[in-house]
Amino acid sequence: MKKLILLFIVGSLFAQYLPPQSDIAKMSSTEKLMLYNMNKKSPALGVVYGMIVPTLGHAYANNWKRGIIINGTKLGSYILSVIYWDKAVWDEEGKEDEYYRKSELFSKICFLTVIFDVIDSGFESNRYNKNLYRTIFGEEPPSFSLNLQPTYQGATLTMSYAFK
């Protein structure tokens, strides 16, 4: 029971507090922008959470299922790596057998999954922000870009913003 209560407390830290869609439609653009800024998630914070505790970065971005699948893959590859390592046998010449190679493969998969989990937490936070923008404003978020263009006289910085 204590674990369940702790899970609810941690889950409430990442909850989204949006009014009903009918109330959002009545808001001014300034109020919508304030609502968006209050509820958007920081990709950097999602990455930090993902580094501290597995799946916490995905929970921060409201995508528990993806985090559980990624970490299930990580756990499975780790277990297979240990199983094959126990079965590995070296002969007198110091050559490893197929079990050692399989253990090495699953160890690499586990390592890559750890890195993917952390990076994906940041991408999931960005995806959450785009969906939040669509929910509040009813349209795609505007695209914004900065370009550094070298010229013979020096570099030129251009900024472009797409208006709809």
Side-chain angles (χ1 to χ4, degrees):
M1 185 66 177
K2 291 180 182 178
K3 291 180 183 179
L4 187 62
I5 292 172
L6 180 65
L7 182 67
F8 285 136
I9 290 171
V10 170
S12 68
L13 293 174
F14 306 124
Q16 181 182 36
Y17 300 107
L18 287 180
Q21 194 65 33
S22 59
D23 291 345
I24 293 175
K26 295 175 187 175
M27 291 181 175
S28 69
S29 61
T30 306
E31 291 172 328
K32 287 180 182 180
L33 189 60
M34 287 174 51
L35 182 64
Y36 172 74
N37 286 329
M38 285 186 334
N39 288 293
K40 74 178 181 178
K41 308 288 184 176
S42 167
L45 198 55
V47 167
V48 170
Y49 285 154
M51 280 194 253
I52 294 172
V53 178
T55 38
L56 194 58
H58 287 90
Y60 175 69
N62 285 349
N63 200 348
W64 278 93
K65 291 179 186 176
R66 185 174 178 101
I68 289 172
I69 290 170
I70 291 171
N71 285 296
T73 304
K74 185 186 340 176
L75 181 64
S77 63
Y78 176 74
I79 290 171
L80 287 172
S81 173
V82 170
I83 288 171
Y84 284 124
W85 179 259
D86 286 340
K87 292 182 180 181
V89 176
W90 289 268
D91 60 10
E92 294 82 27
E93 298 173 4
K95 293 182 181 176
E96 44 303 302
D97 64 348
E98 66 180 82
Y99 290 118
Y100 176 79
R101 288 189 295 276
K102 287 181 181 178
S103 173
E104 195 174 44
L105 172 69
F106 284 114
S107 296
K108 290 176 183 176
I109 290 172
C110 182
F111 177 73
L112 291 174
T113 309
V114 168
I115 293 171
F116 177 76
D117 180 31
V118 171
I119 293 170
D120 191 56
S121 297
F123 286 129
E124 283 298 310
S125 297
N126 280 332
R127 189 174 300 139
Y128 171 85
N129 290 338
K130 287 179 184 177
N131 289 336
L132 179 67
Y133 192 92
R134 273 188 232 113
T135 302
I136 293 174
F137 291 97
E139 58 187 29
E140 291 294 318
S143 60
F144 176 81
S145 66
L146 290 173
N147 295 323
L148 187 62
Q149 299 171 342
T151 61
Y152 67 92
Q153 295 176 342
T156 305
L157 181 65
T158 60
M159 181 171 53
S160 62
Y161 187 81
F163 291 102
K164 292 186 179 188

